[in-house]
Amino acid sequence: MFETAKRRQPLWLLAELTYKCPLQCPYCSNPLDFASAGQELTTEQWIDVFRQARKMGAAQLGFSGGEPLVRQDLEILIAEARRLGYYTNLITSGIGLNAQRIAHFHDAGLDHIQVSFQASDEEVNQMLSGSAKAFAQKLKMAREVKAQGYPMVLNFVTHRHNIDQIDRIIELCVELEADYVELATCQYYGWAFENREALLPTRAQLERAERITNEYRERLAAQGHPIKLIFVTPDYYEERPKKCMNGWGELFLTVTPDGTALPCHSARMLPLTFPNVKDHSLSHIWNDSEGFNYFRGKGWMKEPCRSCDEQDDDLGGCRCQAYMLTGDMHNADPVCAKSEHHSLIVEARLAAEGDVSTAMTFRNERNSRVFFKG
C-alpha cells in the first residue's frame, strides 16, 4: 500500500528530550501513557541523532519535552547542535530556568527561546499548571530572556478557561515587550482530547477572541509596535482540515525521549510500527520504514478523499484525528465537511454551547500510569 520511493530530506527535527515536567497542563500533547515510555536517550545517542539528521539535510532543531530544562546535558546538546550548523529553538515553560542558565545557553549557541504561559493571571495559571509559583517564574524568565538579547517569543494555549481574557493576554505580551506571540487555540490531541469537553470554547468565544486580536494588530501596527500576534484557530471550527504536518514524512521528523522516530509528535497512537533510532539509522527510518511511508502520497486514500478535487490541498487531513474520532486512520479527517463522520465535529461544537462543568484530568505520572494500565 505504501510508497517506498526516496523522499526529500527532513528539514525540521523535533527532539523531545524528556517526558518529565514539573507542570500538569490538561492540554499537554504528550501521550496519555507517557509514564510507560522506555529509558531516555543518552547524551551521546542524542548527538548521534543530530549528526545523522543534519547529514540528511535537517536545518532546524527544536528542543522540547515534557520540560527540556530537566535534562542536565541541555547545554552540551545545544553546543553540539550549533557546531553542526542547526538553527536551534528551546520550547520551555521556564520552570527550572535562571539568568545563569540562559547565559550558558547563549554561550552554547542557542538561537531562540519560546516561553509558554497558561494564562494572563496567576489564579488561572496556577489552576492549569498545578504550581503556585509558576506564573511569577514565567514572568521573571520572560523578562530575563529579553534582557539577554533573545527575541521575546511567547506561547499561550487558549481554550474555554482563558480565551475570554484574550485582551489581558495581549496586554501582558505588550508589557513584556514580546516580539512574537502565538495565541494557539487548543488542538485536541493527547491530554487535550481527553479533556476536550472541558476545554473546547464556543464559536462565539472563538470569534470574539479573533476579532479582539485583529483589533490589537491594527492598533499596535498604527503605533509602530513591532509585536507579531499569531492567532491559531482550532480544527473543530473549520470545514476543511489542515494538511497533516505539511505532508506525512515530507518535512518534519520527531524523535521521542526513548528514541522512537515519528512523522509527527502524535503519531505514536496509530496502529503502525514506528522504528527506534537505537535500532536503525535515520536514513533507513525516513526512507524505508513502514511508519514513515504508510501515508506518503495518496495511494492509501479512501472515499471521499480518493476522488476529491481538494485532495492535494489537505491530503485527507490529520491521520491521528481520523483515528481518534472514527477508529480508522484511513478515513477522511472528520473536520472535513465532506466526511461521513463530520457530525462528530458538529456534535462537539454543539456540546460546547451548553453549560460545561466537566472536571479535567491533569497530566501527571499518576494519571498516566492509570492510562497505561488501561
Side-chain angles (χ1 to χ4, degrees):
M1 175 182 290
F2 57 84
E3 303 172 24
T4 57
K6 188 173 182 179
R7 297 286 156 171
R8 58 181 174 178
Q9 72 271 21
L11 297 179
W12 209 98
L13 172 64
L14 180 65
E16 291 186 327
L17 299 179
T18 181
Y19 285 142
K20 297 184 178 73
C21 183
L23 305 183
Q24 58 173 21
C25 304
Y27 48 76
C28 182
S29 62
N30 286 167
L32 294 172
D33 61 349
F34 71 84
S36 67
Q39 187 174 5
E40 293 179 2
L41 296 182
T42 65
T43 306
E44 293 72 24
Q45 287 170 325
W46 273 118
I47 289 174
D48 186 48
V49 168
F50 300 166
R51 288 172 180 159
Q52 290 185 61
R54 187 75 184 102
K55 186 175 181 181
M56 293 170 66
Q60 184 160 332
L61 171 56
F63 296 105
S64 181
E67 175 48 69
L69 294 173
V70 171
R71 291 281 301 218
Q72 297 305 302
D73 59 355
L74 186 52
E75 288 87 342
I76 298 171
L77 297 177
I78 290 169
E80 182 61 20
R82 165 49 68 93
R83 190 190 69 78
L84 290 167
Y86 282 102
Y87 180 89
T88 51
N89 176 27
L90 174 63
I91 304 165
T92 177
S93 68
I95 309 303
L97 199 58
N98 55 47
Q100 183 180 44
R101 202 164 191 200
I102 295 172
H104 288 166
F105 292 158
H106 193 280
D107 292 343
L110 182 66
D111 293 295
H112 177 124
I113 300 176
Q114 176 183 295
V115 181
S116 64
F117 279 76
Q118 280 72 33
S120 59
D121 65 273
E122 188 167 9
E123 182 179 355
V124 178
N125 204 97
Q126 179 177 340
M127 183 272 289
L128 292 167
S129 70
S131 169
K133 299 178 180 179
F135 187 65
Q137 169 71 4
K138 289 171 182 289
L139 290 176
K140 183 178 179 180
M141 287 305 102
R143 293 187 175 103
E144 186 62 39
V145 166
K146 182 81 172 184
Q148 295 206 28
Y150 281 104
M152 171 71 74
V153 184
L154 303 180
N155 172 269
F156 285 80
V157 177
T158 61
H159 43 78
R160 192 178 190 94
H161 295 277
N162 65 5
I163 199 167
D164 290 334
Q165 286 76 48
I166 195 75
D167 52 345
R168 283 179 257 171
I169 289 174
I170 296 173
E171 290 288 353
L172 175 62
C173 295
V174 172
E175 177 190 331
L176 291 171
E177 301 180 81
D179 297 288
Y180 299 91
V181 179
E182 186 177 31
L183 302 167
T185 313
C186 195
Q187 305 293 338
Y188 295 94
Y189 302 89
W191 294 81
F193 184 73
E194 184 69 18
N195 291 301
R196 187 184 68 180
E197 188 174 337
L199 293 172
L200 185 65
T202 65
R203 183 180 292 278
Q205 284 181 302
L206 183 67
E207 290 176 349
R208 174 182 176 273
E210 189 165 18
R211 173 179 57 78
I212 290 173
T213 301
N214 288 332
E215 290 171 356
Y216 267 96
R217 282 192 185 120
E218 294 174 6
R219 189 184 317 156
L220 291 166
Q223 296 170 2
H225 200 290
I227 191 172
K228 304 296 183 186
L229 301 176
I230 303 164
F231 189 89
V232 182
T233 58
D235 291 354
Y236 277 58
Y237 285 101
E238 302 287 351
E239 296 301 311
R240 292 290 184 272
K242 62 181 180 295
K243 183 184 286 187
C244 182
M245 302 305 292
N246 204 43
W248 179 278
E250 291 294 325
L251 296 174
F252 296 91
L253 170 62
T254 295
V255 178
T256 67
D258 67 1
T260 302
L262 303 170
C264 83
H265 63 269
S266 296
R268 203 168 191 166
M269 73 172 69
L270 299 174
L272 290 172
T273 299
F274 292 104
N276 195 293
V277 299
K278 299 172 186 174
D279 305 317
H280 302 279
S281 71
L282 276 189
S283 178
H284 167 80
I285 289 169
W286 181 260
N287 292 306
D288 303 315
S289 69
E290 177 190 30
F292 275 78
N293 278 291
Y294 199 91
F295 289 115
R296 279 175 172 152
K298 295 177 282 189
W300 59 269
M301 287 183 176
K302 296 167 57 175
E303 293 294 350
C305 299
R306 182 178 293 274
S307 59
C308 180
D309 59 3
E310 297 179 82
Q311 62 177 231
D312 290 325
D313 297 331
D314 57 41
L315 295 177
C318 177
R319 299 300 85 222
C320 295
Q321 198 148 256
Y323 182 67
M324 285 188 299
L325 292 172
T326 75
D328 185 345
M329 62 184 179
H330 303 89
N331 283 333
D333 187 335
V335 163
C336 185
K338 297 181 182 182
S339 166
E340 64 178 307
H341 302 288
H342 186 60
S343 60
L344 297 171
I345 297 293
V346 175
E347 289 166 7
R349 295 174 191 165
L350 293 173
E353 298 294 331
D355 293 328
V356 177
S357 57
T358 306
M360 289 186 286
T361 302
F362 289 92
R363 181 246 191 240
N364 54 49
E365 286 237 359
R366 180 178 61 81
N367 285 334
S368 179
R369 293 190 186 284
V370 171
F371 284 115
F372 173 56
K373 292 177 181 177

